[in-house]
Amino acid sequence: MAGNVLLSVLAARAGERHWLHHGGDCYVTHRRWQDDKVNACLIEAGLTDLDM
């Protein structure tokens, strides 16, 4: 969206970056994917009952 700040996001490959508009659809989708990955890691590690 016009006027949204561009965010540099690290990629899986060294030295590579992705650019996402903060608050845009690509940013929301990226955050959802990252949240899912973190939650899967926490579950695998047995850390599902954390008080945060």
Side-chain angles (χ1 to χ4, degrees):
M1 298 178 116
N4 284 5
V5 176
L6 275 176
L7 301 173
S8 175
V9 179
L10 295 177
R13 295 182 190 152
E16 186 176 313
R17 298 192 188 291
H18 296 277
W19 292 91
L20 304 173
H21 283 104
H22 183 269
D25 291 340
C26 57
Y27 174 78
V28 172
T29 300
H30 176 76
R31 284 291 312 268
R32 190 173 301 128
W33 288 341
Q34 297 307 312
D35 289 347
D36 290 347
K37 290 176 190 177
V38 169
N39 287 334
C41 288
L42 290 172
I43 290 168
E44 187 175 326
L47 302 172
T48 56
D49 294 326
L50 298 176
D51 291 323
M52 294 188 170

